[in-house]
Amino acid sequence: MLKRIGVLTSGGDSPGMNAAIRSVTRTALCNGLDVVGIKRGYEGLLEGDLVPMTRSSVGGILLHGGTILRTARCPEFLRPEGVNAGVSRLSENDIDALVVIGGDGSFRGAQELHERGVTVVGIPATIDNDMAGTDCTIGFDTACNTALECISKLRDTASSHDRMFIVELMGRNAGFLALETGVACGAESVLVPEIAPDIKSICEKLNYAKQRGKTHSIIVLAEGVMSASDLASKLKGQGSYDPRIVVLGHLQRGGAPSCFDTVLASRLGAAAVELLAKGEKGMMVGRINGNIVSSPIRAAWESKRELDSDMLRLVETLSI
Ligand code: ADP
Ligand code: F6P
């Protein structure tokens, strides 16, 4: 019988993780369950770094970035011995079920636990938005808005100086963050890892724009393609603008979650606990076409989420 659940955040932090922790905790308490927070993801699990969660311990965190439970990448969990030790820690601490809030790596760890008989449910949270089983992961919307705000400041400078800015965005091996932000900021070009870069046609496009009187340009580059400095060296001296590079880096991971991410995290947190209360195991929650849905955890990486080809075309059409 389900009496006590654990909750942890793992992998890269993302804005809205705190809202998810709050929702999991309060929904569980409302269902008569005890909740224990596990600090620093799987690392804290292995070390038994636990903290009791109460209604008030999740007060005042709703709109705070980062994660009060802290997070970590835990290489030990990549080995079967590490996962086995995790299973033992959960049972030694009378934790009947675990809620894992994180990205696809964290979900792979959750799947390993599930396959060893642990009752587990996953809540997708990463700024990369590279997980299937949901249209959007917690933190993606905020990260796009953060990047957009920075790029609009860069455009002021770019237009004053007749410059080209190459802005490198995160996303690991995926281009969702770059594409969404690129459309929103009216980038002249967006480079994503899903499509091989065509430097020659970028140069032609930039030169043509310059001939028509365009005074500056913004190129949004996903980190999975190449570094901004490598792209700058490829474009330098090709006749268009003088390139400057900006790597937004971890600025994209912090900050208060947007309204969208806060609501998403609150809904997904509650849905995860409701799944556990219904006796479901090895599932993830997600939001598809506005509805909260559930699917097996492995769906997050087994069916690859594709970039929207209409969005890619839109960048080309709107940046003429
Ligand atoms: P994210 O969850 O944001 O994708 P990572 O890929 O770094 O971040 O994964 C977070 C953690 O999840 C890893 O440090 C590791 O502890 C665990 N993990 C990742 N992949 C696996 C795996 N195949 N098996 C077990 N645990 C894993
Ligand atoms: O997965 C989130 C993410 O921010 C990626 O976009 C990025 O490649 C990676 O984490 C950076 O990881 P770290 O914080 O360990 O440098």
Side-chain angles (χ1 to χ4, degrees):
M1 178 163 152
L2 186 64
K3 282 200 202 131
R4 186 166 139 96
I5 68 166
V7 56
L8 61 78
T9 48
S10 163
D13 65 312
S14 69
M17 278 184 162
N18 279 327
I21 295 168
R22 171 180 178 270
S23 177
V24 166
T25 302
R26 292 198 174 166
T27 308
L29 294 173
C30 281
N31 280 273
L33 301 169
D34 285 341
V35 188
V36 57
I38 300 165
K39 307 288 277 297
R40 294 176 294 110
Y42 296 124
E43 199 174 274
L45 172 63
L46 297 183
E47 291 171 12
D49 192 358
L50 310 180
V51 55
M53 304 294 279
T54 62
R55 194 196 61 76
S56 61
S57 65
V58 292
I61 66 168
L62 182 61
L63 295 174
H64 288 190
T67 157
I68 57 161
L69 290 176
R70 305 179 61 210
T71 184
R73 306 206 199 263
C74 173
E76 218 179 323
F77 222 69
L78 297 171
R79 297 187 298 118
E81 301 78 25
V83 183
N84 293 340
V87 176
S88 306
R89 288 300 96 73
L90 288 167
S91 104
E92 285 157 20
N93 287 286
D94 299 321
I95 297 173
D96 306 314
L98 181 66
V99 179
V100 172
I101 304 170
D104 68 316
S106 305
F107 275 30
R108 284 172 206 265
Q111 175 70 21
E112 293 292 332
L113 290 170
H114 168 64
E115 286 171 11
R116 287 163 174 79
V118 173
T119 299
V120 62
V121 61
I123 300 180
T126 163
I127 63 163
D128 300 339
N129 206 27
D130 57 348
M131 300 166 81
T134 186
D135 289 342
C136 39
T137 54
I138 295 168
F140 173 67
D141 180 67
T142 309
C144 289
N145 283 308
T146 302
L148 180 61
E149 195 183 331
C150 296
I151 294 172
S152 68
K153 289 179 181 167
L154 291 173
R155 202 181 268 288
D156 292 345
T157 294
S159 61
S160 306
H161 281 271
D162 289 13
R163 269 184 190 160
M164 162 166 67
F165 273 95
I166 298 171
V167 190
E168 182 184 313
L169 299 193
M170 280 188 165
R172 205 172 280 194
N173 301 314
F176 297 97
L177 187 50
L179 183 55
E180 193 84 5
T181 309
V183 170
C185 76
E188 276 64 37
S189 229
V190 178
L191 278 74
V192 291
E194 290 81 353
I195 295 172
D198 182 348
I199 303 296
K200 189 163 167 272
S201 81
I202 294 172
C203 291
E204 282 168 4
K205 189 176 172 192
L206 292 174
N207 285 328
Y208 178 60
K210 195 171 186 186
Q211 281 160 23
R212 283 186 356 259
K214 211 162 187 173
T215 56
H216 64 282
S217 70
I218 300 281
I219 299 188
V220 172
L221 168 70
E223 63 176 352
V225 179
M226 67 179 88
S227 71
S229 56
D230 284 350
L231 182 60
S233 358
K234 288 182 198 296
L235 296 180
K236 205 168 169 69
Q238 299 281 340
S240 63
Y241 318 85
D242 187 19
R244 291 288 186 279
I245 62 171
V246 175
V247 180
L248 289 188
H250 292 81
L251 278 176
Q252 295 157 95
R253 285 235 298 261
S258 63
C259 176
F260 181 87
D261 276 328
T262 307
V263 173
L264 177 68
S266 301
R267 293 181 76 189
L268 293 183
V273 174
E274 281 155 15
L275 276 186
L276 291 176
K278 277 196 271 176
E280 302 253 11
K281 298 165 185 209
M283 303 296 278
M284 66 173 280
V285 288
R287 178 187 189 271
I288 293 185
N289 297 328
N291 300 312
I292 301 300
V293 298
S294 61
S295 35
I297 278 186
R298 52 188 328 136
W301 67 87
E302 273 187 351
S303 46
K304 190 171 156 29
R305 231 171 92 72
E306 302 290 343
L307 275 188
D308 185 341
S309 52
D310 288 343
M311 288 275 280
L312 287 163
R313 272 196 299 277
L314 199 56
V315 173
E316 295 306 314
T317 311
L318 300 184
S319 65
I320 50 169

